[in-house]
Amino acid sequence: LTAAYYLRTKGHQVEVFEAQDKAGGMLRYGIPAYRMPPELLDQEIAQIEVLGIAIHTGAKVASLEQFRKDYDAVFIGLGTQTSRMLPIEGV
């Protein structure tokens, strides 16, 4: 979302494809609501949409090749949906 915002302010046409049902990625699904209230996140996403950025939710990317055919450039921001333990003793 941050990349989309800054690219749009530089004049680029931008679309966001979100695999989940709601936009926000790890901000929505990885941070507890008491730290990042969903209402606040929704307000910030609405501000991004006002800039003319289309956000497609429930849109998993099946093929990067298809995106390369349809778009000049692609930025992939992958969230970590499963936790990982660091290989450090005592973690």
Side-chain angles (χ1 to χ4, degrees):
L1 292 172
T2 302
Y5 170 83
Y6 283 108
L7 286 167
R8 185 68 190 121
T9 61
K10 298 287 184 185
H12 298 281
Q13 290 296 115
V14 180
E15 291 184 53
V16 174
F17 294 85
E18 168 65 57
Q20 299 291 338
D21 291 331
K22 290 188 172 188
M26 294 308 292
L27 289 172
R28 182 176 304 279
Y29 298 106
I31 299 174
Y34 68 90
R35 291 187 182 228
M36 171 55 88
E39 304 80 28
L40 176 60
L41 181 58
D42 289 338
Q43 289 174 3
E44 294 195 10
I45 291 171
Q47 290 175 343
I48 291 171
E49 291 175 311
V50 165
L51 294 175
I53 296 172
I55 299 178
H56 309 281
T57 57
K60 287 189 176 186
V61 175
S63 168
L64 185 56
E65 292 305 316
Q66 185 60 41
F67 272 82
R68 288 183 174 161
K69 290 177 187 174
D70 297 337
Y71 298 96
D72 295 334
V74 177
F75 172 82
I76 300 174
L78 303 173
T80 304
Q81 300 299 328
T82 57
S83 63
R84 293 176 153 175
M85 293 301 294
L86 295 174
I88 301 171
E89 187 176 334
V91 164

